Amino acid sequence: MTHVITQNCVNDASCVPVCPVNCIHPAPGEQGYGTTEMLYIDPKVCIDCGACVSVCPVSAIAPDYELRPEASLFERLNALFYEDEKNADYDPTPVPVTRRQWSRNSDDVLRVAIVGSGPAASYAAEELLAQRGLKVSVDMFERLPTPWGLIRYGVAPDHQSTKAASTGFEKLLRNPSFRIFLNTELGTDITTDDLARRYHAVIFAVGATESRSLGIPGEELKGAHSASNFVAWYNGHPDHAGDSFDLSAERAVIIGNGNVALDVARVLLSDPSRLERTDIADYALEALRESNIREVVLVGRRSAANASFTTPELAGLLHVPGIGVRIDGGTGVPDGAVDSNWPQTNVAYKVQLLEEAAARESSPRMLTFRFLQSPLGIVGSSKIGGIVLVKNELVERDGVERAVATDATETISCGLVFRAIGHRGREIAGLPFDQERGVLPTVESRIVDADSGEPVAGAYAAGWVERGPSGVIGTNKQGSRDTVRRLLDDYEAGLLPAPQDASDLADELPNHLDAAAWKRIDTAERQAGRAGSRPRVKTVGIPDLLGLAADTQQ
Ligand code: NAP
């Protein structure tokens, strides 16, 4: 018998240090951790003690005998990881998490500001506050009236266990060395200079908020959207609550083969009753109930084996009742390549899952995969009528299989097109920016001048704005630990500039919301959800959120 890690895994590796036999890999610091789709339990080493179950923030681990039928394939997926010969040699010696013991005698308090309140920002705050003997104060600044960033506004509503990752972050709010400033926007309410004057160090963890564009004709037509805007809309993000998506056509097309594409496809094709008990925005649920979409076409420029959606997320989607699967034109994987190039790996398993799903019966709601195809243009007059696709072939260059267009094109009719081709960060006034990659330029998390490469003293980055938009929520935990370690190295080496201004920013931010204000919003939303057995009913407009935040007892 063994324990098994399942779909919800967010890679935060909380389970790794508690495992007495070190059977969970890849762990932070081990090869493959930064890119792994999930963590895996080695069934041959697991002693079935269950220590990992209680520390998993998203309830992703279960003993094999308690797996729900739809999760049983994860037993195979965990085992497969260790059947892959390159993963067979993980060291069974547990790797302890080491933190230095601080013994600074002075009254000096290390003052750190963190901009952003999503996973990378919150993990950084946790790590700073977990240092033994360090006198530290952490102020977190968030432009919205609500904290936790992508957990509230990015994770899909039918992934409630993933949203549970924020339960740990809520503990920050009870730490006397931590303050949160919600409703406080960098560039509007505060500047980078305000922060640099008052703090030894600032960690920028503001995410990658801009969607990449396809750069093809017709992208400006009504009905062409960024998938991220749709995600923000159904999650009740205040910036997108007023957006509208015309769901009256029968077919929608999504460009891109990442997890965002799968999230959007799943939400569009699910029976709305599946979403009724979630925290989906009420207006979005209503629109989905009225939706005519019956087919979503997922267009990937490379093959099924190259798709960046993860096997756990694919497996989750394929188990949603009522969604049939079609593969139009094949997986793009040459015969025999799965066995010879990816034997016993989860790439092979991903392709196998797709093929098995396509062999099942069709359904009134269909998900059609089109691999090895790229969009050339979106057609229509006042609104979208279709999309022109070109067939690609794969050409290996510098060890990477790249998509190269052929002459074969095809136009398919559709009423909606979503681009789900990744994100980029937004420039921050007063800081250098890497325009090409859409990130803050860094060397080992230290923000550096793009030309000279010199570090900007006291300025650090974490999360997507540091490394680009990759990885799942818990991937940020190790990344933020690394950022904090480097910040503390610089503190120890006396490299952090002393704050010049002792005044408290709180006195200059009369409109900021604190932890107590967020608790009032949180409590009101949860109470509103109770009647419908929902985790919460989200309030979406900023004035309404501010109304809930107001302390009427005063
Ligand atoms: P992603 O994983 O980087 O996927 C982007 C997709 O767009 C890839 O298939 C890429 O193809 C394709 N693409 C890029 N440029 C293109 C172009 N010009 N034309 C056609 N296709 C193009 O990005 P994402 O889906 O936005 O996800 C971002 C991160 O968030 C990922 O790490 C993801 O795992 C994570 N996430 C996780 C979850 C979850 O766990 N449930 C949910 C959402 C997001 P190539 O491979 O050929 O470049």
Side-chain angles (χ1 to χ4, degrees):
M1 288 197 291
T2 176
H3 276 62
V4 177
I5 302 184
T6 64
Q7 190 196 335
N8 300 339
C9 179
V10 292
N11 298 16
D12 84 335
S14 304
C15 50
V16 171
V18 301
C19 175
V21 292
N22 202 27
C23 73
I24 305 176
H25 304 281
E30 289 178 339
Q31 193 186 344
Y33 174 72
T35 52
T36 189
E37 295 188 345
M38 56 179 280
L39 307 189
Y40 306 90
I41 289 178
D42 187 342
K44 292 204 202 76
V45 182
C46 176
I47 55 171
D48 225 20
C49 70
C52 49
V53 174
S54 55
V55 295
C56 177
V58 293
S59 309
I61 311 179
D64 51 4
Y65 47 86
E66 279 180 12
L67 286 177
R68 287 169 287 116
E70 68 273 19
S72 57
L73 62 88
F74 284 92
E75 203 176 342
R76 179 85 190 107
L77 204 52
N78 279 242
L80 259 180
F81 180 76
Y82 297 93
E83 285 172 29
D84 185 345
E85 59 188 31
K86 70 177 185 301
N87 300 324
D89 298 329
Y90 277 115
D91 185 351
T93 320
V95 189
V97 176
T98 48
R99 292 199 178 98
R100 64 197 102 185
Q101 173 73 51
W102 294 83
S103 55
R104 296 176 81 92
N105 296 323
S106 75
D107 290 334
D108 284 355
V109 176
L110 169 63
R111 292 177 48 76
V112 182
I114 300 180
V115 185
S117 74
S122 304
Y123 286 128
E126 282 183 350
E127 185 60 16
L128 279 162
L129 295 165
Q131 302 297 315
R132 283 178 297 172
L134 179 70
K135 291 178 183 159
V136 61
S137 76
V138 178
D139 286 349
M140 181 179 273
F141 297 89
E142 162 62 55
R143 81 180 179 93
L144 292 170
T146 55
W148 321 139
L150 273 186
I151 294 194
R152 179 174 168 107
Y153 293 122
V155 173
D158 55 348
H159 281 176
Q160 285 301 316
S161 1
T162 309
K163 286 181 189 267
S166 65
T167 312
F169 301 152
E170 294 280 342
K171 289 186 200 142
L172 286 169
L173 304 176
R174 299 195 287 275
N175 190 315
S177 301
F178 177 86
R179 296 189 300 179
I180 195 159
F181 293 76
L182 300 163
N183 202 34
T184 305
E185 186 167 16
L186 182 66
T188 308
D189 304 303
I190 47 168
T191 63
T192 46
D193 192 45
D194 290 331
L195 298 176
R197 282 206 320 273
R198 288 177 176 83
Y199 297 87
H200 291 91
V202 184
I203 299 175
F204 294 88
V206 292
T209 49
E210 306 287 296
S211 309
R212 291 188 183 275
S213 296
L214 286 161
I216 57 171
E219 251 185 302
E220 70 298 340
L221 281 172
K222 204 162 171 260
H225 302 279
S226 127
S228 307
N229 288 354
F230 185 65
V231 170
W233 172 78
Y234 63 60
N235 269 319
H237 191 297
D239 291 353
H240 295 280
D243 292 0
S244 74
F245 296 88
D246 181 353
L247 307 180
S248 60
E250 289 210 352
R251 182 184 289 139
V253 170
I254 304 176
I255 308 298
N257 261 188
N259 279 339
V260 169
L262 288 196
D263 278 348
V264 169
R266 197 180 63 251
V267 168
L268 282 171
L269 289 173
S270 287
D271 187 320
S273 62
R274 249 191 100 242
L275 301 167
E276 277 168 2
R277 298 276 155 86
T278 72
D279 63 351
I280 189 169
D282 284 344
Y283 57 74
L285 183 60
E286 213 37 60
L288 289 165
R289 283 195 181 113
E290 301 295 317
S291 166
N292 287 332
I293 303 285
R294 291 296 175 268
E295 185 188 13
V296 172
V297 180
L298 269 190
V299 179
R301 63 179 167 183
R302 299 191 292 154
S303 79
N306 307 113
S308 61
F309 52 71
T310 57
T311 309
E313 285 308 307
L314 176 67
L317 188 156
L318 298 180
H319 272 95
V320 174
I323 301 181
V325 171
R326 181 184 302 132
I327 303 176
D328 201 340
T331 58
V333 183
D335 284 348
V338 160
D339 292 335
S340 55
N341 297 347
W342 306 282
Q344 296 170 329
T345 61
N346 68 4
V347 173
Y349 198 46
K350 190 186 280 184
V351 178
Q352 182 192 328
L353 281 179
L354 274 170
E355 285 171 342
E356 282 171 6
R360 296 193 312 230
E361 268 178 26
S362 67
S363 157
R365 291 169 185 257
M366 290 299 288
L367 175 58
T368 301
F369 288 87
R370 282 180 172 242
F371 295 106
L372 286 180
Q373 299 189 21
S374 291
L376 283 185
I378 301 169
V379 290
S381 47
S382 61
K383 61 181 203 168
I384 287 178
I387 185 163
V388 186
L389 300 172
V390 62
K391 291 203 167 58
N392 298 326
E393 54 193 20
L394 286 181
V395 174
E396 193 172 319
R397 218 180 295 143
D398 306 325
V400 179
E401 288 188 307
R402 296 171 199 276
V404 175
T406 66
D407 294 333
T409 63
E410 184 185 355
T411 302
I412 58 170
S413 63
C414 61
L416 265 177
V417 173
F418 294 101
R419 58 180 196 279
I421 58 167
H423 310 80
R424 42 184 289 125
R426 195 182 282 180
E427 209 166 335
I428 297 173
L431 289 180
F433 194 68
D434 181 337
Q435 292 292 354
E436 201 180 317
R437 293 185 55 225
V439 295
L440 292 169
T442 55
V443 174
E444 295 195 321
S445 310
R446 297 171 180 95
I447 298 177
V448 294
D449 182 89
D451 298 323
S452 69
E454 286 299 308
V456 180
Y460 302 82
W464 280 9
V465 79
E466 177 191 6
R467 69 172 189 278
S470 66
V472 293
I473 285 171
T475 314
N476 294 296
K477 188 169 183 172
Q478 186 58 32
S480 295
R481 275 190 176 159
D482 290 342
T483 299
V484 167
R485 182 167 42 79
R486 287 152 187 159
L487 184 161
L488 293 176
D489 285 347
D490 293 351
Y491 183 46
E492 212 169 16
L495 296 175
L496 297 184
Q500 303 296 305
D501 187 340
S503 67
D504 188 349
L505 260 181
D507 300 330
E508 294 173 28
L509 296 168
N511 296 327
H512 84 269
L513 303 182
D514 60 10
W518 158 240
K519 275 290 132 202
R520 287 189 284 275
I521 297 174
D522 189 36
T523 305
E525 288 190 339
R526 286 179 191 277
Q527 271 169 2
R530 216 161 280 157
S533 304
R534 300 172 66 184
R536 65 177 68 238
V537 173
K538 277 184 189 164
T539 299
V540 292
I542 300 272
D544 293 338
L545 284 164
L546 298 182
L548 289 185
D551 186 357
T552 48
Q553 306 297 310
Q554 279 182 353

